Amino acid sequence: MQNPYSEIFRAPGAKGFAAAGFLARLPIAMAPIGIVAMLSQTHGEYWLAGAVAATFALSNAFVAPQISRLVDRLGQTRIVVPTTILTVLAFAILIAAANQDWPVWTLFVSALAAAAMPSMPAMVRARWTELFRGRPEMNTAFAFESAADELVYIAGASLSVGLSAALFPEAGMLVSTLFLAFGSTAFILQRSTEPQVRPVDHASSGSAIRLRPVQIITFALIFVGATFATTEVSTVAITKELGQPGAASIVIGVYALGSFVLGLVVGALNLKAPLQRQLAIAVALVALGTLLPLTAGTVPLLALTVFISGVAISPTFITAFGLIERHVPEAMLTEGITWVMTGIGIGMALGAFAAGAVVDEFGARNGFFVSVAAGAIALATVLIGQRILGEPDCDLAGCEPAAVPAE
């Protein structure tokens, strides 16, 4: 039996844009925690560090879909180049402002400007879709991307904090900025795999978020994102309560590992069930898994329950992005994918905030109840949306317009 992952990388240019895209997306995980690590050392105030990091993360969550919409209209090169330059300059100013103790407002302004950072996961998935649209290999490619996202969050945050602690406060942000600059440059230079620009017609005018399937999937994934952000916060709190705070990083790593492993397995399979049903099953497993950590009274048992509860996250993302590809016109694909990524990011921010509040007020273990509530809402959303998600794929007029080259 052939390895399906080796098959997708035989496509011309696939190895190059996948490697460059991985490098360019590391700042997604490195930058927010890098800002916290940098400013907490240079200014000694965690509230300021958190506020600046939140300014960047939340602003990027809302700006990124608009940038991706321009990418769909004008092509990756014409939009990614200027937005990346703006982001790199903004990060450079933020680093200088922290190092030179510039006024606090410069930290917030530069963080706000850095929100122009384009959604590299969406750009890479758009290239895979261009290569394998309507073929089984696309499910494998999306599985690989979900695994890559997991690695970004596992390695990126640890690398950023480690560099700042071992070298100097700005080290994590500096390396993150270099990854963005060099990775994006390498990605854009590979013009042969850049998706073609589809002409905008009546069906693909406006925003992708106006499409009902995009609304359903984005709303559901807000709460899926909340479940694993809540699990991470609660894990930190409960390991501290159990007297082993250092075990938190191991437990969180095990959590991501479960998702990573099953995501690769699902990508190697050619499942025949309708995608909307696969999504419902995956989200149901996520929702059921949120109950398991409530039973953990020791760190080893916590690690085991968290591992099991995390296995369905990557399959959820794989099927969600597959549904987006089928229901969104080609001329809106990058924006549609970015809205889902935005939903995950918003969910992580809201989940972390809600879990922190519950932990402070009611204790560490009760933070997991936020995950339970979020999982239930995500499952209800997907079940209610089954009919709409199961409608004929991309049946809007103009879903398959003639392509024109990107300028």
Side-chain angles (χ1 to χ4, degrees):
M1 180 179 176
Q2 290 183 316
N3 183 345
Y5 291 99
S6 66
E7 290 295 312
I8 64 172
F9 284 108
R10 289 178 182 172
K15 292 179 181 177
F17 76 70
F22 181 83
L23 197 66
R25 84 177 77 177
L26 279 168
I28 295 173
M30 291 184 70
I33 193 66
I35 292 172
V36 172
M38 176 177 68
L39 295 181
S40 63
Q41 293 183 70
T42 59
H43 288 65
E45 296 175 303
Y46 280 94
W47 73 266
L48 176 63
V52 174
T55 297
F56 162 71
L58 293 178
S59 299
N60 180 250
F62 288 101
V63 171
Q66 315 313 318
I67 292 173
S68 292
R69 185 179 177 187
L70 291 174
V71 167
D72 286 327
R73 301 293 185 268
L74 302 173
Q76 291 186 351
T77 299
R78 292 182 62 181
I79 301 301
V80 173
V81 170
T83 53
T84 299
I85 291 173
L86 174 59
T87 305
V88 168
L89 290 175
F91 278 149
I93 293 171
L94 178 59
I95 293 169
N99 181 264
Q100 300 297 315
D101 198 24
W102 290 356
V104 168
W105 65 265
T106 60
L107 301 174
F108 287 97
V109 170
S110 54
L112 192 63
M117 186 172 75
S119 177
M120 193 54 63
M123 308 294 169
V124 177
R125 284 177 170 89
R127 293 201 180 201
W128 284 120
T129 302
E130 192 79 0
L131 288 176
F132 299 125
R133 180 176 281 107
R135 294 164 57 186
E137 289 90 342
M138 197 171 69
N139 181 68
T140 304
F142 279 10
F144 172 80
E145 288 305 310
S146 293
D149 288 337
E150 294 287 349
L151 283 178
V152 163
Y153 282 105
I154 294 170
S158 299
L159 178 62
S160 189
V161 173
L163 287 169
S164 293
L167 300 178
F168 50 89
E170 302 85 3
M173 278 303 298
L174 178 60
V175 172
S176 172
T177 305
L178 292 174
F179 279 152
L180 177 64
F182 288 111
S184 297
T185 300
F187 184 79
I188 288 302
L189 286 176
Q190 300 176 64
R191 296 298 302 277
S192 63
T193 53
E194 181 175 349
Q196 296 176 304
V197 177
R198 269 73 183 181
V200 179
D201 59 11
H202 177 71
S204 54
S205 61
S207 174
I209 198 61
R210 296 174 61 185
L211 299 174
R212 189 58 59 84
V214 178
Q215 294 172 355
I216 292 169
I217 295 170
T218 300
F219 186 76
L221 263 63
I222 287 175
F223 292 95
V224 172
T227 64
F228 57 84
T230 300
T231 299
E232 290 174 356
V233 171
S234 301
T235 294
V236 171
I238 199 169
T239 51
K240 183 178 180 180
E241 186 178 88
L242 292 171
Q244 301 180 56
S249 60
I250 298 174
V251 175
I252 291 171
V254 167
Y255 181 54
L257 179 64
S259 175
F260 174 78
V261 170
L262 192 60
L264 289 178
V265 172
V266 170
L269 302 175
N270 185 18
L271 300 177
K272 302 299 184 183
L275 276 179
Q276 75 277 6
R277 191 176 304 163
Q278 292 183 41
L279 180 63
I281 293 171
V283 175
L285 292 175
V286 169
L288 290 173
T290 61
L291 297 169
L292 297 178
L294 292 169
T295 65
T298 65
V299 170
L301 185 56
L302 178 65
L304 175 61
T305 57
V306 161
F307 174 84
I308 297 172
S309 68
V311 296
I313 291 176
S314 274
T316 297
F317 292 167
I318 294 165
T319 52
F321 288 122
L323 283 165
I324 288 292
E325 186 275 332
R326 292 192 180 187
H327 285 285
V328 174
E330 291 181 17
M332 307 169 76
L333 179 61
T334 309
E335 184 195 354
I337 293 173
T338 305
W339 274 113
V340 175
M341 299 296 299
T342 293
I344 296 168
I346 292 172
M348 290 180 67
L350 294 178
F353 174 78
V358 170
V359 167
D360 286 340
E361 187 68 24
F362 302 105
R365 192 175 305 278
N366 289 304
F368 287 114
F369 281 109
V370 179
S371 287
V372 174
I377 295 172
L379 178 57
T381 301
V382 171
L383 291 177
I384 292 170
Q386 283 290 288
R387 183 183 61 80
I388 292 174
L389 295 177
E391 289 175 351
D393 300 338
C394 205
D395 59 354
L396 297 173
C399 238
E400 301 288 343
V404 296
E407 295 180 10

